Amino acid sequence: MPFWATLLTLVIGPEGLETDVPWPNRICSDLVRGFQAQLDKLRWREIRLYLQFFGHLAAIGFITPESMVSQLLSFTSVLDEPGVSYERASMAALCAGEALLRAASVLHNHSPHKVYDILSVLGAFSQSLQAQTSMSQPVILLHTQEARNTNEQLKCLLSALREVEDDGFAYPATLLRPQEDFPQLQDLEPTFALPSILVPPEIAHVEEEISTSAPAVHHRELPTVWIRLFDVEPSINPTRAGGYLLRSTYEDVIDIYEVNRKEAAKILLQMDRWFTRGTFRSSPGATTSEEGSTGVQLELSVMETILGSMMILPRPKHKPVYYHALITEFAKLSASTVGPAVGKSIRKLYALLGEGLDVEAAKRFSDWFAVHMSNFGYQWVWKEWTTDLQLDPTHPKRTFMRRAIELEIRLSYYDRILKTLPDAMQSPEAQIMPAEIPGHDFEYESSGNSHHYIASNLLKKLQDRATLMEVSIQVDTMRTELTSSGLSDSRAGSRTRSITMQCLLVLGARSFSHFLNAIERYIKVLQNLSTTPDAKFEMLEIVSTFWRRNRQMITIIFDKLMQYQIVDPSDVVSWAFEGGGLGEKGDGLGTFQWEVMRLALDKSNGRVSIAQRRIVQQRKIDDEARAAKIAEAAKNESMDVDDIAMKAEEEPIEESTDLQKQTRAHQILVAEQKSVLSRAVEGFVTVINDTDEVISETAWNECSSWTKKQWDAVETWGWFRHFARSYAPYLRVYRESLSMAYLSRVPAERPAGKLLREIWSITVEQDS
């Protein structure tokens, strides 16, 4: 930006063409119109970048300080709006603060009191976010809200501005000053004034046009917190002015070039071109001077920024797969320099496992690790971690190894991954590598099974693509035979359910399309077999047992069973806390169980959102039809405009049949949503009710002796924190009933009760 700002002020226009307005002013007028267009649409990234550019122009002396300060005060006034959302306030604060960081040297000389007012407003806003920040920290312990290995974005910006203040509001040393190479730009008299602006109110979304119990989530509600992997040297310190400018520039490149990761990687690798000499260290292999031996190591700082962006909680700005692909492209461009930075990043993240790394951050770490290994031949020095095999099998480091290996097998195949591991990790005692190749277990496959013959007959009919009627008759006959063999009605029903479902799973085991075809063809059979909550839970148990050696298939099939309404999302949430047929019954919530529960929560919330949109659309259709009817009647009666308006007001508004249907469907789905959220809260409360022993500094200092019970409790607390911050907008609608029904089960004076209410109040009730 400093270069473009300098070039703009030097524009002289076509030779011989006279104009009353200087060309730089004409160009800047066009830029202001573009800025206003972005402001009207509240495109915060573009607004922030425009203001940064104006800040550079003000620092050169082209834009008048009065107008620049006025612009910044317009954005800080947003922070004083009643009921302002966090996202709106934080974006306005970033716009004002980052522009001030570039123009402070000029603005302070002109309006020192107004500059201090801006700093004061930003400081007060940052201070008000202290409690909320604890909910989005990627590294945190249960017994304290103290920040560990993290940096909160707005706090970093404020710290950078304070450093500039302490330095006499000097121009940041890391930014280039191309204007100093042009004598005509020295002591330039400002000639362009930015117009006064008002930041428009937030845009209402279509789902908010009706009164519903399930708002759609459009805004970020928690502060942005970056994970810190490395020391100040050789990485960046975002609390310093130079470090913040580097970090924000990296972030902008990553964000803008999301559509072209190859170009993003190329620009990031060449970032040292755009900052002052000495900001970055010399690249390995280059001639190293005293100046080049200190400063930021480019590759390391970029890796920390990409991973920090990927691990923003509760959700990153882009899908995690984008960050995976970006790191891959970055590493391919310069394997000799980026490779070591990737390795150091992996080791730093691994060291945080069991030291407070958030469970969702740990999940994203394992996802990225597996994908990155698949792109580089699965080459990793696993021997470094063999000493951790002495830890409890449920320790986060051991859990990470198991999940990473499971994901690598999905991306490759069992035998190849097995060969990449040292002998110590290959043994069954290590509990790292699955004992069996991924596949399914058909209970009735063996001829020794007492129900093998019945199951074989049903499976043959299914393979022969029998009609729905034929299969239904076969299932009813099978149940009758089981009852006549001495089984009770309930046990005969369970066995019929097991045989039928497993036969369909065998039929669909060849491919995903085979499974979908089988479900769609015989959906009525499955619905008839799952008419009660217990029967639906059994269905889920059958699936999880059948695919216990390939858990990916469990999540896929659960999703389809919910889609076809064979089971309800609340049934899946119940199954997640029970552990299903995976040998983890009732011990807490692990990563896999959370993924399953998240599917159910998203499915339920998504259905409500779709129903909301349908109601809005139907109301618009009805209003148009009503208006057309009134207009037609008015035309026939030769009525004037005023009479038409009066007739429209007198006309009774009756809901159409379609709208009534949509409304009833919406009410049913909202009731289902409440049931799903209630079951989730109840499950969490039930598990964490007995976890006082892990919520203290003393207990944490003795975590080396923890076993499965303690580590499961810590992980469940982590997922409850993530559940509350991710689904707070939905939980907030039912907070009173949920609090009375479930939170009251844990006494407030106990450590578990205190922590439970603290998380709930900050995220759901939004009390600081």
Side-chain angles (χ1 to χ4, degrees):
M1 281 192 184
F3 287 97
W4 289 108
T6 302
L7 288 172
L8 186 148
T9 59
L10 294 171
V11 172
I12 59 175
E15 185 177 354
L17 181 62
E18 296 183 1
T19 176
D20 295 335
V21 180
W23 280 96
N25 294 50
R26 295 180 65 177
I27 295 173
C28 208
S29 296
D30 289 340
L31 289 174
V32 168
R33 283 192 287 272
F35 170 65
Q36 186 64 54
Q38 301 299 334
L39 184 64
D40 293 340
K41 298 175 183 177
L42 283 183
R43 292 179 175 172
W44 288 110
R45 184 186 72 190
E46 287 74 14
I47 295 170
R48 181 169 52 82
L49 294 176
Y50 265 110
L51 286 172
Q52 289 180 18
F53 188 65
F54 294 155
H56 284 293
L57 290 173
I60 292 174
F62 177 71
I63 287 179
T64 61
E66 308 91 47
S67 64
M68 189 70 210
V69 169
S70 176
Q71 292 263 321
L72 301 188
L73 289 173
S74 297
F75 283 91
T76 55
S77 65
V78 171
L79 278 61
D80 296 326
E81 293 175 354
V84 61
S85 68
Y86 164 76
E87 183 177 56
R88 176 178 171 84
S90 64
M91 290 296 101
L94 289 176
C95 288
E98 292 186 5
L100 180 61
L101 197 59
R102 291 159 170 82
S105 57
V106 172
L107 301 187
H108 178 260
N109 292 335
H110 181 270
S111 306
H113 296 296
K114 291 183 179 179
V115 169
Y116 285 119
D117 288 343
I118 294 172
L119 291 175
S120 177
V121 172
L122 295 179
F125 178 62
S126 176
Q127 187 64 29
S128 69
L129 301 175
Q130 186 172 355
Q132 289 89 336
T133 300
S134 66
M135 291 298 107
S136 56
Q137 288 179 358
V139 183
I140 191 171
L141 300 176
L142 289 178
H143 63 270
T144 178
Q145 291 188 6
E146 180 183 352
R148 294 163 54 91
N149 297 87
T150 56
N151 290 301
E152 195 270 315
Q153 186 178 17
L154 284 173
K155 190 176 292 184
C156 289
L157 174 58
L158 186 63
S159 177
L161 288 168
R162 293 300 184 191
E163 183 192 19
V164 171
E165 178 187 3
D166 295 340
D167 199 25
F169 291 96
Y171 191 71
T174 55
L175 292 178
L176 294 168
R177 301 173 179 83
Q179 64 269 26
E180 295 180 355
D181 296 332
F182 300 92
Q184 64 268 41
L185 296 183
Q186 306 306 313
D187 300 323
L188 187 67
E189 188 69 26
T191 60
F192 188 86
L194 294 170
S196 299
I197 61 167
L198 289 175
V199 181
E202 290 181 287
I203 301 172
H205 293 272
V206 67
E207 288 86 354
E208 299 168 356
E209 295 180 18
I210 59 173
S211 176
T212 71
S213 300
V217 182
H218 297 290
H219 304 295
R220 182 172 180 84
E221 296 188 338
L222 293 173
T224 297
V225 183
W226 299 318
I227 192 169
R228 188 178 71 249
L229 298 180
F230 305 104
D231 298 329
V232 175
E233 292 284 352
S235 190
I236 56 179
N237 181 2
T239 62
R240 302 286 302 275
Y244 184 87
L245 288 168
L246 285 175
R247 179 76 187 236
S248 63
T249 303
Y250 290 169
E251 293 270 358
D252 287 336
V253 170
I254 293 169
D255 186 28
I256 293 170
Y257 286 91
E258 183 262 343
V259 296
N260 189 342
R261 64 182 186 275
K262 293 180 182 290
E263 192 67 19
K266 181 180 178 181
I267 294 173
L268 289 170
L269 197 58
Q270 298 173 349
M271 192 60 70
D272 54 347
R273 297 181 178 184
W274 310 110
F275 291 89
T276 54
R277 188 183 300 274
T279 300
F280 294 96
R281 293 185 179 186
S282 299
S283 301
T287 303
T288 304
S289 62
E290 183 178 347
E291 186 182 59
S293 62
T294 59
V296 174
Q297 184 179 332
L298 175 62
E299 295 80 5
L300 213 60
S301 60
V302 170
M303 277 301 304
E304 184 177 38
T305 302
I306 298 174
L307 290 173
S309 300
M310 184 183 75
M311 293 194 176
I312 289 175
L313 299 172
R315 60 185 62 84
K317 184 176 292 186
H318 304 289
K319 292 183 178 181
V321 69
Y322 166 60
Y323 301 102
H324 302 170
L326 178 59
I327 293 174
T328 298
E329 298 299 334
F330 189 55
K332 287 179 178 179
L333 284 177
S334 181
S336 61
T337 58
V338 178
V342 172
K344 290 178 182 178
S345 301
I346 291 173
R347 292 178 179 90
K348 287 290 186 178
L349 284 171
Y350 180 80
L352 290 173
L353 293 166
E355 296 294 332
L357 185 65
D358 185 88
V359 289
E360 172 65 15
K363 173 185 173 296
R364 294 180 196 172
F365 172 35
S366 59
D367 291 342
W368 166 63
F369 178 84
V371 170
H372 193 77
M373 291 300 107
S374 72
N375 289 323
F376 293 93
Y378 299 97
Q379 298 177 21
W380 180 249
V381 191
W382 288 97
K383 289 182 179 180
E384 293 181 2
W385 297 342
T386 53
T387 54
D388 292 329
L389 297 178
Q390 305 302 319
L391 298 171
D392 186 84
T394 53
H395 188 281
K397 290 184 177 178
R398 297 283 300 276
T399 302
F400 165 81
M401 285 189 262
R402 277 196 301 275
R403 187 167 192 275
I405 292 298
E406 179 183 352
L407 295 174
E408 285 188 3
I409 292 173
R410 292 183 193 175
L411 296 169
S412 182
Y413 55 94
Y414 185 90
D415 290 338
R416 181 180 181 185
I417 302 305
L418 182 65
K419 293 176 182 178
T420 65
L421 300 177
D423 294 339
M425 290 186 175
Q426 292 183 17
S427 63
E429 292 76 15
Q431 300 183 38
I432 299 298
M433 192 73 181
E436 301 173 275
I437 296 175
H440 62 266
D441 294 319
F442 182 36
E443 181 182 354
Y444 308 102
E445 184 175 12
S446 172
S447 58
N449 187 286
S450 57
H451 303 294
H452 169 75
Y453 178 75
I454 297 177
S456 298
N457 288 339
L458 178 60
L459 181 59
K460 188 175 185 307
K461 275 193 174 294
L462 296 174
Q463 290 172 337
D464 292 340
R465 301 174 66 87
T467 64
L468 175 62
M469 181 64 71
E470 292 173 339
V471 172
S472 298
I473 294 173
Q474 178 76 9
V475 170
D476 292 340
T477 302
M478 178 171 56
R479 180 166 186 164
T480 302
E481 291 177 0
L482 291 170
T483 304
S484 61
S485 66
L487 294 179
S488 63
D489 287 343
S490 61
R491 292 191 63 186
S494 296
R495 182 61 62 183
T496 302
R497 201 171 293 115
S498 174
I499 293 173
T500 305
M501 189 64 190
Q502 288 197 49
C503 287
L504 282 171
L505 291 173
V506 171
L507 189 65
R510 293 177 58 187
S511 70
F512 187 52
S513 59
H514 280 79
F515 171 72
L516 286 181
N517 290 333
I519 292 294
E520 290 173 357
R521 187 180 301 120
Y522 304 114
I523 185 172
K524 291 295 183 183
V525 174
L526 293 178
Q527 289 175 342
N528 292 335
L529 291 173
S530 53
T531 55
T532 65
D534 289 342
K536 293 175 181 179
F537 188 88
E538 279 187 26
M539 283 289 201
L540 299 174
E541 285 273 75
I542 293 165
V543 173
S544 63
T545 304
F546 184 88
W547 283 112
R548 66 178 182 82
R549 290 190 285 122
N550 191 349
R551 299 198 297 184
Q552 180 185 21
M553 291 300 300
I554 297 176
T555 58
I556 292 173
I557 293 174
F558 278 14
D559 181 62
K560 293 306 171 184
L561 292 179
M562 287 188 289
Q563 178 179 330
Y564 290 111
Q565 299 183 348
I566 296 169
V567 300
D568 299 325
S570 57
D571 301 315
V572 175
V573 172
S574 298
W575 182 91
F577 281 103
E578 291 300 325
L582 304 176
E584 302 167 0
K585 200 176 185 70
D587 292 334
L589 202 73
T591 300
F592 172 72
Q593 283 81 2
W594 165 255
E595 288 181 326
V596 169
M597 189 170 82
R598 180 183 58 79
L599 281 175
L601 292 166
D602 291 345
K603 182 74 69 177
S604 176
N605 295 333
R607 286 174 176 173
V608 173
S609 297
I610 292 172
Q612 290 172 352
R613 287 194 292 271
R614 287 176 176 171
I615 289 178
V616 172
Q617 293 169 358
Q618 189 60 49
R619 282 180 176 170
K620 289 180 179 178
I621 293 172
D622 291 353
D623 289 343
E624 291 173 358
R626 189 179 300 110
K629 181 180 178 181
I630 293 174
E632 182 65 26
K635 179 180 178 181
N636 296 333
E637 298 176 16
S638 301
M639 298 171 62
D640 58 26
V641 176
D642 293 335
D643 292 335
I644 292 175
M646 186 180 298
K647 182 176 180 62
E649 293 177 0
E650 295 174 352
E651 186 79 16
I653 300 177
E654 296 182 1
E655 292 188 348
S656 65
T657 303
D658 290 338
L659 182 58
Q660 292 175 2
K661 290 180 180 179
Q662 299 288 3
T663 302
R664 284 195 296 270
H666 176 263
Q667 292 171 347
I668 293 171
L669 291 173
V670 167
E672 179 190 80
Q673 181 191 50
K674 183 179 180 181
S675 174
V676 173
L677 294 171
S678 299
R679 182 62 193 95
V681 174
E682 181 184 18
F684 275 116
V685 169
T686 301
V687 175
I688 63 182
N689 187 28
D690 188 28
T691 58
D692 289 343
E693 61 177 322
V694 299
I695 311 174
S696 70
E697 185 175 1
T698 302
W700 177 253
N701 292 334
E702 299 174 355
C703 67
S704 58
S705 61
W706 281 1
T707 58
K708 177 178 173 60
K709 180 181 179 182
Q710 289 78 30
W711 286 118
D712 283 349
V714 170
E715 186 172 15
T716 302
W717 271 111
W719 288 121
F720 175 70
R721 185 189 299 271
H722 188 58
F723 164 73
R725 66 192 172 209
S726 298
Y727 296 97
Y730 304 103
L731 293 167
R732 202 168 293 132
V733 177
Y734 314 109
R735 61 181 180 272
E736 293 183 4
S737 59
L738 293 175
S739 298
M740 292 178 61
Y742 304 115
L743 268 64
S744 58
R745 298 181 184 180
V746 187
E749 62 273 9
R750 285 174 42 197
K754 181 180 178 181
L755 180 59
L756 176 67
R757 286 164 176 79
E758 180 181 290
I759 295 173
W760 187 266
S761 65
I762 294 174
T763 56
V764 178
E765 298 177 359
Q766 291 189 326
D767 294 334
S768 57

